[in-house]
Amino acid sequence: MEANQARAGHRLNQFIDSLDISKAEFSRETGLNYAHMFRIINGDGDPGFDTCSKISEAYPQLSITWLITGIGEMKNITREERNDIKRI
């Protein structure tokens, strides 16, 4: 198991926990195979392009950069938040 895969799986688990939903519900919402998702969370699989695309489509607020690399914030800034910052 590569260290980065384990960390990406840990970050995916963090994100799911932040949604306060079950892993089964996350799997349904994203269209990810439940077993594949669990392999990623356990560090035994890689969240490849297709997986990241499905997650991003269902949860655009998740920063895929953060998921894969751990760099930046977990959630992307929304258009409304960006506009609020510009007004300040």
Side-chain angles (χ1 to χ4, degrees):
M1 163 178 42
E2 289 183 33
N4 196 44
Q5 285 179 351
R7 288 189 295 265
H10 175 76
R11 286 188 292 272
L12 179 59
N13 197 43
Q14 271 185 281
F15 178 68
I16 295 169
D17 287 347
S18 80
L19 297 171
D20 199 29
I21 62 173
S22 69
K23 288 173 182 57
E25 186 174 343
F26 183 83
S27 176
R28 281 191 304 273
E29 291 289 323
T30 57
L32 292 177
N33 176 281
Y34 189 76
H36 176 65
M37 181 192 68
F38 248 89
R39 283 192 298 274
I40 293 168
I41 289 171
N42 290 327
D44 295 329
D46 180 21
F49 180 79
D50 289 339
T51 298
C52 288
S53 294
K54 288 178 180 181
I55 294 170
S56 184
E57 187 172 319
Y59 296 98
Q61 71 270 32
L62 173 64
S63 167
I64 296 299
T65 300
W66 173 82
L67 178 64
I68 299 302
T69 68
I71 296 171
E73 298 296 320
M74 177 191 295
K75 295 184 180 177
N76 293 315
I77 189 169
T78 66
R79 180 176 293 136
E80 292 81 18
E81 291 168 329
R82 192 173 299 115
N83 290 338
D84 288 344
I85 291 169
K86 287 179 182 178
R87 281 181 270 214
I88 294 176

